[in-house]
Amino acid sequence: GGSSSGKSFGILGQRTVRDMLRGDRNYLVLRKTLRTIRSSCYNEIMKCINRMDLAGQFEVNKTDFTITHKESGRQILFAGLDDVEKVKSITPAVGVVTDILVEEATEITYDDYKGLVKRLRGRCEVPKRLVLLFNPVTQDHWIYTEFFVGRFDDDKGCYFDDKLGILRTTYRDNRFLVQEDIDRL
């Protein structure tokens, strides 16, 4: 999605927190570098938890960068891909990683992506998902060639099959923007 389209708010924040409340998913949330996690992904999820008045249902460990749903023991784990070796050994306290969410996915390499696909393994009750959030890419970027070529129709703005979903969003899709933001965009 484009800048200010609400993808981080909707997917990273709301969807992740709502999934955690169901108690059947563990998230691994990533960016290319760990130092950018606290001021982006982590804060977005914490704002959502607080906005929904759910702080009492989660245990937050700021040192380990984990958010645990108290009732189910399911977790949101945060990491940077600046040290790929550390990502290989990340495992939640209960179950397996069911969801990998990559914020600003254009920052990661194709090799990073292929390594992440291998992290979605083990038995679980829900379908595993790898979600890439990013602003528009050029046609020579690996994300475009891997997912869009031969599938995505610009006129439709979305593509779905049984293994892949692509949704394009713009600031026009973000109902939370104030008029000043809309005018600027």
Side-chain angles (χ1 to χ4, degrees), residues 38 42 60-66:
R38 183 180 303 275
Y42 177 81
V60 178
N61 185 321
K62 293 179 183 178
T63 304
D64 292 339
F65 263 145
T66 60

PDB file of all heavy atoms in Angstrom, residues 38 42 60-66:
ATOM      1  N   ARG A  38      11.377  -1.078  17.738  1.00  0.00           N
ATOM      2  CA  ARG A  38      10.725  -0.416  18.884  1.00  0.00           C
ATOM      3  C   ARG A  38       9.918   0.801  18.445  1.00  0.00           C
ATOM      4  O   ARG A  38       8.791   0.991  18.870  1.00  0.00           O
ATOM      5  CB  ARG A  38      11.727  -0.008  19.952  1.00  0.00           C
ATOM      6  CG  ARG A  38      11.047   0.611  21.174  1.00  0.00           C
ATOM      7  CD  ARG A  38      12.012   1.044  22.265  1.00  0.00           C
ATOM      8  NE  ARG A  38      12.873  -0.006  22.757  1.00  0.00           N
ATOM      9  CZ  ARG A  38      12.542  -0.872  23.715  1.00  0.00           C
ATOM     10  NH1 ARG A  38      11.363  -0.812  24.272  1.00  0.00           N
ATOM     11  NH2 ARG A  38      13.390  -1.788  24.096  1.00  0.00           N
ATOM     12  N   TYR A  42       6.628  -2.470  17.211  1.00  0.00           N
ATOM     13  CA  TYR A  42       6.328  -2.664  18.634  1.00  0.00           C
ATOM     14  C   TYR A  42       5.378  -1.577  19.133  1.00  0.00           C
ATOM     15  O   TYR A  42       4.363  -1.871  19.781  1.00  0.00           O
ATOM     16  CB  TYR A  42       7.639  -2.664  19.426  1.00  0.00           C
ATOM     17  CG  TYR A  42       7.469  -2.783  20.915  1.00  0.00           C
ATOM     18  CD1 TYR A  42       7.264  -4.026  21.505  1.00  0.00           C
ATOM     19  CD2 TYR A  42       7.524  -1.660  21.733  1.00  0.00           C
ATOM     20  CE1 TYR A  42       7.117  -4.135  22.877  1.00  0.00           C
ATOM     21  CE2 TYR A  42       7.381  -1.772  23.099  1.00  0.00           C
ATOM     22  CZ  TYR A  42       7.172  -3.003  23.669  1.00  0.00           C
ATOM     23  OH  TYR A  42       7.023  -3.107  25.030  1.00  0.00           O
ATOM     24  N   VAL A  60       3.896  -7.884  28.892  1.00  0.00           N
ATOM     25  CA  VAL A  60       4.853  -7.261  27.987  1.00  0.00           C
ATOM     26  C   VAL A  60       6.245  -7.333  28.600  1.00  0.00           C
ATOM     27  O   VAL A  60       6.453  -6.900  29.725  1.00  0.00           O
ATOM     28  CB  VAL A  60       4.464  -5.782  27.721  1.00  0.00           C
ATOM     29  CG1 VAL A  60       5.494  -5.116  26.821  1.00  0.00           C
ATOM     30  CG2 VAL A  60       3.065  -5.701  27.118  1.00  0.00           C
ATOM     31  N   ASN A  61       7.178  -7.902  27.849  1.00  0.00           N
ATOM     32  CA  ASN A  61       8.565  -7.970  28.274  1.00  0.00           C
ATOM     33  C   ASN A  61       9.372  -7.079  27.336  1.00  0.00           C
ATOM     34  O   ASN A  61       9.674  -7.469  26.203  1.00  0.00           O
ATOM     35  CB  ASN A  61       9.078  -9.406  28.245  1.00  0.00           C
ATOM     36  CG  ASN A  61      10.476  -9.532  28.786  1.00  0.00           C
ATOM     37  OD1 ASN A  61      11.331  -8.682  28.556  1.00  0.00           O
ATOM     38  ND2 ASN A  61      10.717 -10.609  29.510  1.00  0.00           N
ATOM     39  N   LYS A  62       9.684  -5.882  27.810  1.00  0.00           N
ATOM     40  CA  LYS A  62      10.392  -4.910  26.966  1.00  0.00           C
ATOM     41  C   LYS A  62      11.835  -5.315  26.700  1.00  0.00           C
ATOM     42  O   LYS A  62      12.405  -4.949  25.681  1.00  0.00           O
ATOM     43  CB  LYS A  62      10.352  -3.525  27.625  1.00  0.00           C
ATOM     44  CG  LYS A  62       8.959  -2.933  27.674  1.00  0.00           C
ATOM     45  CD  LYS A  62       8.961  -1.593  28.352  1.00  0.00           C
ATOM     46  CE  LYS A  62       7.548  -1.044  28.464  1.00  0.00           C
ATOM     47  NZ  LYS A  62       7.498   0.238  29.157  1.00  0.00           N
ATOM     48  N   THR A  63      12.429  -6.070  27.602  1.00  0.00           N
ATOM     49  CA  THR A  63      13.814  -6.499  27.424  1.00  0.00           C
ATOM     50  C   THR A  63      13.921  -7.537  26.309  1.00  0.00           C
ATOM     51  O   THR A  63      14.778  -7.444  25.437  1.00  0.00           O
ATOM     52  CB  THR A  63      14.363  -7.093  28.737  1.00  0.00           C
ATOM     53  OG1 THR A  63      14.217  -6.125  29.773  1.00  0.00           O
ATOM     54  CG2 THR A  63      15.822  -7.477  28.591  1.00  0.00           C
ATOM     55  N   ASP A  64      13.051  -8.550  26.346  1.00  0.00           N
ATOM     56  CA  ASP A  64      13.085  -9.624  25.346  1.00  0.00           C
ATOM     57  C   ASP A  64      12.268  -9.315  24.102  1.00  0.00           C
ATOM     58  O   ASP A  64      12.234 -10.120  23.168  1.00  0.00           O
ATOM     59  CB  ASP A  64      12.560 -10.925  25.958  1.00  0.00           C
ATOM     60  CG  ASP A  64      13.479 -11.476  27.018  1.00  0.00           C
ATOM     61  OD1 ASP A  64      14.671 -11.123  27.015  1.00  0.00           O
ATOM     62  OD2 ASP A  64      13.000 -12.260  27.851  1.00  0.00           O
ATOM     63  N   PHE A  65      11.590  -8.180  24.106  1.00  0.00           N
ATOM     64  CA  PHE A  65      10.720  -7.819  22.982  1.00  0.00           C
ATOM     65  C   PHE A  65       9.679  -8.897  22.715  1.00  0.00           C
ATOM     66  O   PHE A  65       9.566  -9.418  21.607  1.00  0.00           O
ATOM     67  CB  PHE A  65      11.535  -7.576  21.716  1.00  0.00           C
ATOM     68  CG  PHE A  65      11.844  -6.137  21.443  1.00  0.00           C
ATOM     69  CD1 PHE A  65      13.037  -5.796  20.863  1.00  0.00           C
ATOM     70  CD2 PHE A  65      10.949  -5.131  21.755  1.00  0.00           C
ATOM     71  CE1 PHE A  65      13.347  -4.474  20.592  1.00  0.00           C
ATOM     72  CE2 PHE A  65      11.235  -3.813  21.487  1.00  0.00           C
ATOM     73  CZ  PHE A  65      12.436  -3.479  20.908  1.00  0.00           C
ATOM     74  N   THR A  66       8.939  -9.250  23.743  1.00  0.00           N
ATOM     75  CA  THR A  66       7.847 -10.213  23.576  1.00  0.00           C
ATOM     76  C   THR A  66       6.576  -9.656  24.205  1.00  0.00           C
ATOM     77  O   THR A  66       6.625  -8.958  25.221  1.00  0.00           O
ATOM     78  CB  THR A  66       8.158 -11.576  24.226  1.00  0.00           C
ATOM     79  OG1 THR A  66       8.380 -11.385  25.618  1.00  0.00           O
ATOM     80  CG2 THR A  66       9.358 -12.237  23.594  1.00  0.00           C
TER      81      THR A  66
END
